[in-house]
Amino acid sequence: MKNMVKFKYITTVLVSSLCMTSASACGSPKQENIDQGMQLIQQLQYEESLNFFDAALLDKENAQMSYRGQGLAYMGLTQYEKAVECLEKALTYSDAKLGEIDFDINYYLATAYYKQGELDKAKAVYESITALRPKEKTAYYLKGVVEIEQGDQEAAQADFDRAVEIDPEDYDMRINIFCSCSENGLQELGEGYLQAVLDSKDKKLTDYNRGRMNYYLGDYNNARNSLEKAKDSNGGVDVVRLLGQTYEKLGDNNYAASVYSNFLSTTPDAQIYNQLGLCNLKTGDYEAALNAFQSGLAIEGNQLMQVLSFNEIVAYEYLGDFKQATVLMQKYLSTYPDDEKALREYEFLQTR
């Protein structure tokens, strides 16, 4: 069990898939407070959720899930030291047979440590993960991310290669690797993981995947051609979003906006509303941008509340309504206190 406490850091993709794991998965017959606490976390009401996890412990509900919930709440509050404390305590309730919930908790523990800048510990964690699960591709990928930040390109490349070897057709991971490399000045290294897909001449490669490989490689003409074919065949939200972004990259913002609007006429979607709003900002139609962001915010249960809320504030700034922007920014920062970009924007608003 000592190795388990070392587990570290996880990306948004995996966090979102694990975040709302039901307490019932652990077989606890009594979990009313835990369930309520988790619902409040979903609603970003972290302070309030802590009261229910405290009550869960007093009522002798599942202790592991109670401390896990506390850890998630403290992470939401950006109090990472407390999050670590709670998540480590949750792990003390693991039994000899490690289950999915143990990995889940350790991934969150990883995130909390990572936020504190504990990169060496993060690397050790992923070594522990792969020792227990040699085909855990995500652990190899995330270990590579840590190594890139540490400036160890050779080690990072080895881990990225291993992750891709385990699942060559995980194109999302390849794109994540590309983005991580690009953000750290290793564009050429990242491009290799995408170009390999195109060079393979795999006839099973879908138009969507071919299109997005070309998009990230900056070949927007070929990306557009493939994505147009993909749109004609299924036209899902991911295809429409990327096709619109491709037209934006090609400088045709008006046509991009029409791609988004045509989709939204039959299928309201927060992602597409957000992209339409950003496109409208580029063309100077600030009222339309504001309406798009607010339409996205009106969709219940969407996963882009933070992004849309911030962009709504930006739209008010462009419209010159700094008073409303300031009010919304104060509310935004009370929910997302660790958003450094928003903090800088708030400083600007206070000068207006």
Side-chain angles (χ1 to χ4, degrees), residues 71-261:
L72 298 186
Y74 281 123
M75 287 178 70
L77 293 168
T78 69
Q79 297 180 29
Y80 300 115
E81 188 174 347
K82 289 184 177 180
V84 166
E85 194 177 308
C86 293
L87 293 167
E88 287 186 339
K89 190 152 191 178
L91 289 174
T92 66
Y93 289 88
S94 299
D95 55 29
K97 185 178 180 180
L98 302 178
E100 290 299 327
I101 195 62
D102 299 296
F103 286 86
D104 166 273
I105 293 169
N106 276 290
Y107 273 128
Y108 282 117
L109 177 62
T111 305
Y113 275 120
Y114 180 80
K115 288 287 190 177
Q116 292 180 311
E118 300 279 0
L119 299 184
D120 285 333
K121 290 184 179 179
K123 184 174 178 178
V125 164
Y126 291 119
E127 289 169 350
S128 297
I129 293 176
T130 55
L132 290 168
R133 291 185 168 181
K135 293 189 176 182
E136 186 82 4
K137 60 183 179 181
T138 303
Y140 285 107
Y141 158 62
L142 292 173
K143 182 166 171 275
V145 171
V146 170
E147 288 161 341
I148 275 188
E149 294 193 28
Q150 292 178 317
D152 192 344
Q153 179 180 342
E154 184 177 351
Q157 184 172 356
D159 282 317
F160 290 154
D161 288 348
R162 179 60 179 142
V164 169
E165 179 186 350
I166 292 170
D167 190 354
E169 295 182 2
D170 186 342
Y171 301 128
D172 289 333
M173 177 170 291
R174 286 178 181 266
I175 289 172
N176 286 337
I177 290 172
F178 166 81
C179 291
S180 296
C181 291
S182 180
E183 290 167 3
N184 288 276
L186 299 173
Q187 179 95 4
E188 187 175 349
L189 173 61
E191 288 175 349
Y193 294 96
L194 305 185
Q195 192 63 52
V197 176
L198 298 176
D199 291 345
S200 70
K201 307 297 183 182
D202 184 355
K203 293 182 179 180
K204 295 185 294 182
L205 188 66
T206 65
D207 288 318
Y208 170 61
N209 282 323
R210 189 181 306 279
R212 61 178 180 153
M213 294 299 119
N214 278 310
Y215 175 87
Y216 283 100
L217 287 169
D219 186 351
Y220 301 120
N221 285 311
N222 277 322
R224 175 196 57 203
N225 296 339
S226 294
L227 292 168
E228 282 286 4
K229 292 178 184 178
K231 180 172 72 72
D232 292 339
S233 61
N234 59 54
V237 61
D238 291 333
V239 173
V240 170
R241 176 182 54 80
L242 197 56
L243 177 60
Q245 288 177 309
T246 301
Y247 278 110
E248 290 182 57
K249 291 291 188 180
L250 289 167
D252 197 342
N253 292 311
N254 290 326
Y255 193 77
S258 71
V259 170
Y260 301 135
S261 297

Side-chain angles (χ1 to χ4, degrees), residues 309-322:
S309 297
F310 183 84
N311 288 338
E312 179 189 25
I313 295 167
V314 172
Y316 273 115
E317 290 182 17
Y318 275 110
L319 287 166
D321 192 343
F322 298 108

